[in-house]
Amino acid sequence: MSELSVKTIEEWKTLSSESLQNELEKVTTEFATKFEFSHIDVETRKALCNLFSECFCGSPSALRRLIICFIRILARDKQNIEQLLSEELSKLIIRSALLSDADFSFNWEVLIEAEMCLINALFNCSSTREIFLQMSCAKLADRIREVNVGATTSGEGNENTSFPYLNGLAQQDIDRLAFYDLRITFIVSAHSLQLQADWLALGHEVLFNKIVENALAQPDQLRSRPPEAANEARPHADRCAEALKIIFNLFCHALPDNTNVTNTDNCVKMCADIVTLRDVDPNLEQAAVNVLATMPSSLEILLKKADQGEHCAEEDCVEYDGVDMHFVNAILQSLNRRLEPEARGEYELLGTYFTVLIHLCQRSKESRRFARLKVMPPLHAEDVERRPDEGNEFRNKVVRVMMSACNCRHLAAEFLFILCKRSVNRLLKYCGFGNAAGLLANYGFLGAINQPKRLSDSEDSETEDYKQVENLVNPVTGCIEPPHENPLEGMSQEQKEYEAMQLVNAMSKLMDQGVISPGTVGDDGRVRAVKHVLELAPKDDLRDEEESDVD
């Protein structure tokens, strides 16, 4: 590996442009596949910064491209990146990307290298982001608008006066520039709450909605690709994915009062079109669902009366209680696919799916009933032969998420609880107390587990064969357990009392040592720590003991 040091950089300063270009070519080739550069110390980075800042403007285009390429590679590692990317050097890169008011002359190779460099630099360097936000956001938005919404193409007769260098570019070059501009926008908008608010106030979401709309006009590009077509160019799909991520950034912290209802509704409809597109690319679908999760107040427009909805293909029409369930059915099917065992590592990405379904089910009883039939259909005897988290039914998969360590486990539990109409007894029947205890404790509903069933708890949730085995179900595990030996069988009453006291004494000792901290259900329905082991005894037993002391 080439040893970069202050001495090396001082030697580079004495080289001609051609010789420096040769040295940079060697180093960039060697570093091209590396992502960590801890061996380059702070002083060396400062020396590099000074060298590049001094020689950049007077260098030929080929050398400028190599300088930017070298910075791009080093910017993969955020360690000490601030020592390399000074204010002056950051501005030089931005000017090379033609995103300032004092741009360099156009050179395609330098421009595209600067775009790639900015992606790394903006992601890892906060000072470069601040400079970019001050210099370039307006011009970036204008170029995105021109490339994606304007008349710019590779053909003739589409002269562009604002960005004349776009005239005559090959379409593949325009596609590449458009993608990098959107990726840059995604990064800066993700890091700046102020930019999110400013662009929403300016109505820039319309621009990104238009990019999604253009992509929907090319549905074949949005579908999943077979392995043999993995490297096939899909510019509309790539732009659409980035635009959706930008829209998510703009709306994820926005208050409803600060958004335009018309623009939001249009975005929701287009995202729903992506989700319901047959064989849609999973990444696009995920991005669309993420956006929908930020717009809960507009989701109701997707639940039209069946006779008011737009005409759809007969095989796609799904109606329930007179309401069009095409979208609800599509997102449930997608969630079911993503809950397959082989996708278990992607559970962290499911939070927005549960969020959208929760909002839909809370706002529409038809959606809730339809989703319940799909996720939690009436129980049969065979359903309780195994634990709720075992099996490959939709309910089993969601319970597994609820019992996992992923961030969306609480959303999965909330979704099931809503499908149960927030009935504790129904939730216990479908999930078992052991699986539902965490949710009930969080809500303060542990005190409701022994309350009588509501009439609706058995409505549409039981079958005749289930009723025959209902009394055999262990309420803690939610399934019928095989018979096992009673450890107390054959003991006399005195032996049982002795073993019970041994257990009480052992628990009391562990409590005193701080090894365990048993809990009980407080008056508020939440778990509280007990101060004495006797608080764990059933209240009826304590009452009987007190009465036995009365003469």
Side-chain angles (χ1 to χ4, degrees):
M1 177 182 290
S2 298
E3 289 295 331
L4 284 181
S5 63
V6 174
K7 181 180 178 181
T8 305
I9 308 308
E10 291 298 323
E11 293 174 354
W12 283 3
K13 288 183 178 181
T14 64
L15 299 177
S16 64
S17 295
E18 184 177 351
S19 298
L20 179 58
Q21 184 173 326
N22 292 334
E23 290 296 321
L24 285 176
E25 282 180 348
K26 293 177 185 177
V27 177
T28 53
T29 301
E30 183 178 343
F31 287 0
T33 58
K34 302 184 184 304
F35 291 84
E36 192 270 333
F37 304 98
S38 58
H39 63 283
I40 303 178
D41 60 35
V42 170
E43 294 304 319
T44 303
R45 290 169 182 266
K46 290 180 178 179
L48 280 169
C49 176
N50 292 334
L51 170 63
F52 293 156
S53 298
E54 291 172 3
C55 72
F56 192 90
C57 292
S59 299
S61 298
L63 179 55
R64 279 189 286 170
R65 185 192 67 79
L66 276 172
I67 290 174
I68 297 173
C69 178
F70 187 42
I71 296 171
R72 170 177 63 83
I73 293 172
L74 294 184
R76 294 170 179 168
D77 184 0
K78 70 188 306 179
Q79 183 179 358
N80 294 322
I81 189 65
E82 305 279 350
Q83 310 302 324
L84 174 67
L85 286 169
S86 65
E87 179 179 353
E88 182 179 359
L89 193 54
S90 296
K91 288 181 177 179
L92 289 172
I93 297 170
I94 293 171
R95 289 173 61 192
S96 299
L98 309 184
L99 288 172
S100 75
D101 294 330
D103 294 334
F104 291 109
S105 58
F106 169 72
N107 179 281
W108 170 252
E109 296 296 333
V110 174
L111 166 62
I112 212 66
E113 190 65 58
E115 288 273 289
M116 292 189 290
C117 182
L118 278 176
I119 291 172
N120 289 350
L122 292 170
F123 184 77
N124 284 320
C125 184
S126 59
S127 61
T128 301
R129 282 198 300 272
E130 291 301 319
I131 295 168
F132 188 91
L133 288 169
Q134 295 171 12
M135 290 179 59
S136 305
C137 288
K139 195 163 187 178
L140 175 63
D142 289 341
R143 190 163 75 183
I144 291 173
R145 181 178 292 103
E146 183 58 41
V147 171
N148 292 277
V149 183
T152 300
T153 66
S154 58
E156 298 180 358
N158 295 302
E159 292 299 317
N160 187 304
T161 56
S162 300
F163 302 94
Y165 53 85
L166 296 176
N167 298 323
L169 278 181
Q171 187 60 47
Q172 63 183 16
D173 292 338
I174 291 177
D175 291 336
R176 191 178 179 190
L177 179 63
F179 175 77
Y180 288 152
D181 276 350
L182 290 170
R183 176 60 61 86
I184 288 170
T185 305
F186 165 65
I187 293 171
V188 294
S189 62
H191 285 90
S192 174
L193 293 175
Q194 187 60 51
L195 181 66
Q196 296 168 15
D198 291 345
W199 277 22
L200 269 184
L202 293 170
H204 281 352
E205 71 272 22
V206 176
L207 168 60
F208 303 107
N209 282 353
K210 184 63 177 178
I211 296 173
V212 177
E213 181 183 340
N214 292 342
L216 282 169
Q218 306 287 334
D220 289 340
Q221 286 199 24
L222 308 185
R223 303 186 195 279
S224 297
R225 287 183 290 189
E228 60 271 16
N231 296 323
E232 181 181 322
R234 300 194 308 169
H236 284 288
D238 294 337
R239 295 191 204 184
C240 181
E242 296 302 315
L244 287 170
K245 291 189 286 187
I246 295 166
I247 294 171
F248 174 84
N249 287 345
L250 296 183
F251 282 91
C252 64
H253 298 108
L255 298 175
D257 293 341
N258 297 334
T259 60
N260 182 292
V261 175
T262 301
N263 296 340
T264 304
D265 288 353
N266 288 338
C267 184
V268 165
K269 291 176 183 177
M270 288 188 292
C271 288
D273 289 341
I274 292 173
V275 174
T276 56
L277 184 65
R278 191 170 302 169
D279 197 28
V280 66
D281 182 277
N283 293 327
L284 276 177
E285 179 189 70
Q286 177 76 60
V289 173
N290 291 348
V291 171
L292 290 172
T294 68
M295 303 175 177
S297 58
S298 294
L299 292 177
E300 288 184 79
I301 65 173
L302 303 177
L303 303 172
K304 296 180 179 179
K305 294 293 183 182
D307 56 353
Q308 297 175 353
E310 297 179 2
H311 179 71
C312 60
E314 185 175 346
E315 62 271 18
D316 292 333
C317 288
V318 181
E319 179 184 337
Y320 184 82
D321 278 358
V323 177
D324 182 6
M325 289 291 152
H326 183 39
F327 172 75
V328 178
N329 187 56
I331 196 170
L332 284 170
Q333 289 178 341
S334 175
L335 176 61
N336 196 5
R337 287 195 303 271
R338 290 172 179 267
L339 289 172
E340 292 295 338
E342 58 269 19
R344 189 168 297 183
E346 301 177 3
Y347 279 178
E348 298 291 354
L349 303 176
L350 299 180
T352 49
Y353 283 80
F354 287 119
T355 299
V356 171
L357 286 167
I358 286 170
H359 286 304
L360 288 169
C361 293
Q362 285 178 327
R363 285 168 166 76
S364 164
K365 63 181 180 182
E366 293 85 5
S367 295
R368 176 178 53 77
R369 291 170 179 170
F370 179 80
R372 190 182 74 205
L373 288 176
K374 295 291 184 180
V375 180
M376 305 169 70
L379 290 173
H380 291 269
E382 61 183 17
D383 295 326
V384 291
E385 292 177 356
R386 59 181 183 272
R387 291 182 353 193
D389 58 330
E390 295 177 350
N392 203 38
E393 300 299 323
F394 207 153
R395 172 177 65 102
N396 308 135
K397 298 175 186 178
V398 178
V399 172
R400 281 199 289 271
V401 176
M402 186 172 77
M403 297 307 298
S404 70
C406 68
N407 291 330
C408 66
R409 63 186 184 277
H410 301 299
L411 289 170
E414 171 73 7
F415 176 52
L416 291 179
F417 198 34
I418 288 173
L419 294 187
C420 293
K421 294 174 62 176
R422 305 183 77 83
S423 164
V424 173
N425 283 310
R426 179 174 284 190
L427 182 67
L428 297 182
K429 179 167 65 176
Y430 277 97
C431 301
F433 176 73
N435 295 329
L439 173 79
L440 299 178
N442 291 338
Y443 279 115
F445 287 162
L446 285 174
I449 59 177
N450 293 319
Q451 290 181 356
K453 287 185 178 181
R454 296 188 302 201
L455 183 61
S456 62
D457 287 340
S458 299
E459 179 187 351
D460 297 330
S461 64
E462 296 177 355
T463 57
E464 290 300 324
D465 57 326
Y466 172 79
K467 292 178 181 178
Q468 295 175 5
V469 299
E470 182 177 10
N471 293 331
L472 302 177
V473 176
N474 184 327
V476 175
T477 61
C479 67
I480 300 173
E481 295 187 340
H484 48 76
E485 293 184 5
N486 183 356
L488 300 180
E489 189 173 351
M491 288 187 182
S492 65
Q493 190 63 30
E494 290 77 9
Q495 287 176 312
K496 293 178 182 178
E497 291 179 359
Y498 173 79
E499 293 296 337
M501 288 308 301
Q502 289 291 98
L503 178 61
V504 169
N505 291 334
M507 290 182 64
S508 181
K509 184 176 180 180
L510 291 173
M511 288 175 63
D512 293 340
Q513 294 174 348
V515 177
I516 62 173
S517 179
T520 187
V521 180
D523 295 335
D524 60 354
R526 299 179 185 274
V527 177
R528 65 169 181 83
V530 299
K531 297 179 180 178
H532 193 277
V533 69
L534 289 180
E535 291 185 63
L536 298 173
K539 295 181 180 179
D540 290 342
D541 291 353
L542 292 176
R543 192 179 302 113
D544 292 342
E545 185 176 333
E546 291 172 358
E547 292 175 355
S548 66
D549 291 338
V550 179
D551 293 333

